[in-house]
Amino acid sequence: MSAQDDFLGAKDDFISQWGALGSSWGISRTMAQVHALLMISPEPISTDQSMEELQISRGNAHTNLKELVGWGLVKIVVKKGERKEFFEAEKDVWKIFTIVLRERKRREIDPAIELLSDCSERSKNVKSAEGKAFHKQMNELEDFAVFASQVGETISKLKYGPAIKYANKFLGLLPKDKS
Amino acid sequence: MSAQDDFLGAKDDFISQWGALGSSWGISRTMAQVHALLMISPEPISTDQSMEELQISRGNAHTNLKELVGWGLVKIVVKKGERKEFFEAEKDVWKIFTIVLRERKRREIDPAIELLSDCSERSKNVKSAEGKAFHKQMNELEDFAVFASQVGETISKLKYGPAIKYANKFLGLLPKDKS
DNA sequence: GAGGACTTTCAGTAATGTTTGAAAATATGA
DNA sequence: TCATATTTTCAAACATTACTGAAAGTCCTC
């Protein structure tokens, strides 16, 4: 068993399990696998190469590659002399994180704020106990969502260095675990 | 159109849309709806009441209520003189957040760390360019995942007050937007 | 220990989400 | 312009997940 074989096995495991993890996020299994493949490929790869490596159909490869481009996680590169499009993933982990953070804020937190603010508004004059409890809960959820949104916004604008610096300061502020 | 009617409409919208949002997280639509229902109910509610309000089957109501109990988001309460079980959701928004944070860390980040660490190990001696790129990427992802795990751990242990205090200090550190 | 109130399970069904493959559209170069 | 390489679309097939309803299980109470 050579080191190269170890690596090839690890590569397959990474792609397959990254896919499984992706689906516990909101991302489809295949999209996560395509992303995994691109993330560990030193060279940009084509639709046909993805099809080959992941054993998926052209339509599937195409859709998922374009969706990743839509997320901003992957860029299209055109090699000179070639007609095909090639795809290259962002590899910097902090950049990947901020992209995903921004995208999920936009897709999940922002609509939640809208919902909560609307529900709060529509229940502000209600008299029943049930209604008052509802109004209060809507307000509290909205306040939290707005707060989370601001924190997300702030973090996504940071560079890696400052982020780590703040985080370490923050982590250090807590009492040490005395185990 | 009375204030009470406004509220009833808002309540239905909240339940239905909270469900839709839930499914963009890893949570099933119905589980999120049950959670929404419990979160806005001033009184604990029974399986039959959930079935009635959400128009779902007994089995479905039962499974989702118990799953919420499993997450720690809902508690079973027994009313004296009653044989039925009633269910009551945690309403404190910060507590809900820390419970979800901990649970998702356990389900998503921890397994990722294991995967990445394993892949890093198995590719440490490889010589090819592709293999070296893989090893590097695994290390960087692992470092980040461990870091995220620690931040999550720390936040989930905070009380709401200190969390807000730190966050405001943090938010204030960034240059103001000059628009 | 029988009867009823309630909970739990699960096989079958329904609903939803994903993938395929082939055809249509588009782009490229001679 | 045409032939061909490539991308894009999408209806139908497939896979996965969620839900139902009824039956089995549990736990009281008399």
Side-chain angles (χ1 to χ4, degrees):
Chain A
M1 186 69 124
S2 73
Q4 183 69 12
D5 291 336
D6 286 343
F7 153 58
L8 290 173
K11 177 180 164 181
D12 286 353
D13 283 0
F14 175 65
I15 290 174
S16 117
Q17 297 203 53
W18 194 254
L21 281 172
S23 56
S24 83
W25 283 67
I27 295 158
S28 97
R29 196 169 41 75
T30 306
M31 183 170 149
Q33 287 182 348
V34 174
H35 183 229
L37 176 64
L38 290 179
M39 231 179 0
I40 61 178
S41 168
E43 295 298 319
I45 76 180
S46 66
T47 306
D48 294 76
Q49 286 170 294
S50 323
M51 292 166 62
E52 168 67 21
E53 286 254 21
L54 304 174
Q55 294 291 310
I56 58 178
S57 72
R58 179 171 305 281
N60 200 7
H62 173 79
T63 309
N64 284 297
L65 284 165
K66 284 300 160 87
E67 183 109 28
L68 284 165
V69 172
W71 273 69
L73 289 167
V74 166
K75 286 203 172 101
I76 296 173
V77 298
V78 189
K79 293 192 184 174
K80 46 185 173 181
E82 293 255 26
R83 229 149 121 176
K84 272 204 262 292
E85 287 183 329
F86 288 76
F87 299 88
E88 181 174 44
E90 174 59 61
K91 299 215 176 48
D92 182 296
V93 178
W94 179 256
K95 280 194 187 146
I96 295 171
F97 172 70
T98 57
I99 289 169
V100 172
L101 187 61
R102 231 169 314 186
E103 199 69 10
R104 291 183 74 94
K105 167 179 156 350
R106 193 175 67 72
R107 297 181 185 213
E108 291 157 31
I109 305 197
D110 293 351
I113 292 175
E114 207 153 322
L115 170 67
L116 293 164
S117 146
D118 179 56
C119 286
S120 165
E121 179 62 22
R122 287 159 75 192
S123 61
K124 69 178 174 199
N125 294 320
V126 79
K127 297 292 189 296
S128 63
E130 203 199 350
K132 287 202 183 292
F134 179 79
H135 184 66
K136 178 154 174 278
Q137 193 67 17
M138 291 305 103
N139 282 340
E140 288 174 5
L141 285 168
E142 187 189 356
D143 287 350
F144 182 77
V146 168
F147 169 67
S149 173
Q150 286 170 343
V151 172
E153 185 74 20
T154 302
I155 291 174
S156 78
K157 282 177 182 156
L158 288 177
K159 295 273 176 274
Y160 185 58
I164 291 286
K165 209 176 110 242
Y166 291 139
N168 282 335
K169 199 190 288 185
F170 171 67
L171 290 170
L173 283 173
L174 280 191
K176 297 282 185 305
D177 186 351
K178 288 168 199 157
S179 61
Chain B
M1 186 69 125
S2 74
Q4 183 69 12
D5 290 337
D6 285 343
F7 153 59
L8 290 175
K11 177 179 164 183
D12 285 352
D13 283 359
F14 174 65
I15 290 173
S16 117
Q17 297 204 50
W18 194 254
L21 280 173
S23 55
S24 82
W25 283 67
I27 295 157
S28 96
R29 195 168 42 74
T30 307
M31 183 172 149
Q33 286 182 348
V34 175
H35 183 231
L37 175 65
L38 290 179
M39 227 178 4
I40 61 178
S41 167
E43 295 297 320
I45 75 180
S46 67
T47 306
D48 294 75
Q49 286 170 295
S50 322
M51 291 167 61
E52 168 66 22
E53 286 254 19
L54 304 175
Q55 294 291 309
I56 58 177
S57 73
R58 180 171 303 282
N60 198 9
H62 174 79
T63 308
N64 283 296
L65 284 164
K66 284 300 159 88
E67 182 109 29
L68 284 165
V69 172
W71 272 68
L73 288 168
V74 165
K75 287 206 172 98
I76 297 172
V77 298
V78 189
K79 293 192 184 174
K80 45 186 173 184
E82 295 253 27
R83 230 148 118 180
K84 272 203 263 291
E85 288 184 327
F86 288 77
F87 298 88
E88 181 175 43
E90 173 60 59
K91 299 215 176 48
D92 182 295
V93 179
W94 180 255
K95 280 194 188 149
I96 295 171
F97 171 69
T98 57
I99 289 169
V100 171
L101 187 61
R102 232 168 314 188
E103 198 71 9
R104 290 183 73 92
K105 166 180 158 346
R106 194 175 65 71
R107 296 179 186 217
E108 290 156 32
I109 304 196
D110 293 351
I113 291 175
E114 207 153 321
L115 170 66
L116 293 165
S117 145
D118 179 54
C119 286
S120 165
E121 180 62 24
R122 287 160 74 192
S123 60
K124 69 178 172 195
N125 294 319
V126 78
K127 295 293 189 298
S128 63
E130 204 197 349
K132 287 203 183 292
F134 178 79
H135 183 65
K136 179 155 174 274
Q137 193 67 18
M138 293 304 103
N139 282 340
E140 287 174 5
L141 285 168
E142 187 189 356
D143 288 349
F144 182 77
V146 167
F147 169 67
S149 173
Q150 286 171 343
V151 172
E153 186 74 19
T154 303
I155 291 175
S156 77
K157 282 176 181 157
L158 287 178
K159 296 270 175 277
Y160 184 59
I164 290 286
K165 210 176 111 246
Y166 291 140
N168 282 336
K169 202 191 283 185
F170 172 67
L171 290 170
L173 283 174
L174 279 193
K176 298 282 188 301
D177 186 350
K178 288 168 198 156
S179 62

